[in-house]
Amino acid sequence: MPSFKSLMHLNMLRGAKKRGETKSAPYGMHWGDPKEKAFLGFIRDRWCSNFVGANDVCLEIGPGGGRWTRYLLGSDHVYAVDFHQELLDELKKNYPVPHLETLKNNGSDLPGVPDESVDFLFSFGVFVHLEIETIKAYMPEINRVLKTGGTAVIQYSDKSKRQAARNDGFSQNTPSLMRKIVMDAGFIILAENLTIMPHAGIIQFTKEADGVLAKFQTYSQA
């Protein structure tokens, strides 16, 4: 399984540039465009863009070339965090807007993001590859930057599914383990989807707002 220090994505980006693929579409579209693939469109509408308000502050961990970042740009400010500066440079080239701020991290921190400042945190295609200890290391930082009542949505590896079990690049995670990591970090789980992807799950969680009882729900594509 590649670590966050792996050059896998840098090599893929460089290969895509060499082949001229990034001239017509942002890096990462080879995994599917939410505008074209129905299940990705469902994820965009249910788990991403619907949480973005014009006055909100959003944060994305591992934005790649901006496949999902573009759906956060309707907010007031977007932090995009990655370990590789070259990927952040590619993102900024694709979306040269003043309210997109790129931040290089150490693999599990959110540097430069103020405490209790983020309304919506999103990550897709990243935590599926992260080792469990790295996922755990991210949780205090997410807790630090997320506003009380804010929302986080993370896609993660589900090794109980055959496609993930056969993929050495996916971390040894499952829905039950991910729930435990999230709850042990002091978050409240709001919703999850275990059916839309054949190799992964999605989890939505929050820091409880005063007087608000969070309800746990299970969602399917239907």
Side-chain angles (χ1 to χ4, degrees):
M1 179 182 64
S3 75
F4 60 83
K5 295 181 180 180
S6 170
L7 298 180
M8 178 184 71
H9 279 290
L10 289 183
N11 291 335
M12 293 178 72
L13 170 62
R14 292 164 185 169
K17 283 183 173 181
K18 188 175 181 179
R19 294 187 297 272
E21 295 170 1
T22 57
K23 292 181 180 179
S24 58
Y27 168 71
M29 288 298 182
H30 57 287
W31 286 298
D33 188 339
K35 293 181 179 179
E36 298 175 357
K37 291 188 177 293
F39 82 97
L40 292 175
F42 171 78
I43 293 169
R44 174 198 60 205
D45 297 340
R46 167 60 185 87
W47 301 96
C48 183
S49 59
N50 59 313
F51 295 112
V52 178
N55 297 318
D56 288 346
V57 173
C58 297
L59 187 152
E60 184 178 13
I61 299 173
R67 178 168 64 139
W68 297 97
T69 316
R70 54 186 169 159
Y71 301 117
L72 306 179
L73 294 177
S75 65
D76 184 65
H77 194 84
V78 180
Y79 295 105
V81 181
D82 202 284
F83 180 75
H84 296 290
Q85 186 62 48
E86 189 173 336
L87 286 167
L88 294 173
D89 293 343
E90 181 71 12
L91 175 70
K92 198 65 176 176
K93 182 195 75 173
N94 292 336
Y95 301 98
V97 293
H99 66 299
L100 173 60
E101 182 176 354
T102 57
L103 300 168
K104 185 182 184 303
N105 77 349
N106 68 6
S108 62
D109 66 338
L110 302 171
V113 183
D115 296 356
E116 287 265 340
S117 64
V118 173
D119 297 284
F120 178 53
L121 182 146
F122 182 79
S123 187
F124 192 94
V126 178
F127 281 69
V128 291
H129 302 299
L130 295 183
E131 297 171 350
I132 297 302
E133 292 309 310
T134 303
I135 295 175
K136 290 180 178 179
Y138 258 118
M139 290 297 147
E141 277 289 88
I142 294 173
N143 200 319
R144 178 183 68 81
V145 304
L146 196 65
K147 289 181 180 178
T148 300
T151 298
V153 171
I154 291 176
Q155 180 214 27
Y156 62 92
S157 168
D158 183 356
K159 281 287 191 175
S160 68
K161 296 179 178 179
R162 182 176 298 179
Q163 190 167 317
R166 292 176 174 175
N167 191 331
D168 292 336
F170 272 41
S171 58
Q172 296 293 329
N173 208 348
T174 62
S176 59
L177 178 55
M178 190 66 186
R179 290 182 200 123
K180 185 176 188 306
I181 291 170
V182 168
M183 290 188 291
D184 284 352
F187 295 107
I188 298 167
I189 298 171
L190 293 176
E192 65 178 1
N193 187 299
L194 306 180
T195 61
I196 190 68
M197 289 170 289
H199 49 46
I202 297 175
I203 192 166
Q204 176 192 344
F205 54 93
T206 188
K207 292 165 68 173
E208 187 176 11
D210 292 341
V212 175
L213 179 62
K215 295 181 179 180
F216 177 76
Q217 300 174 345
T218 301
Y219 286 81
S220 66
Q221 185 172 1

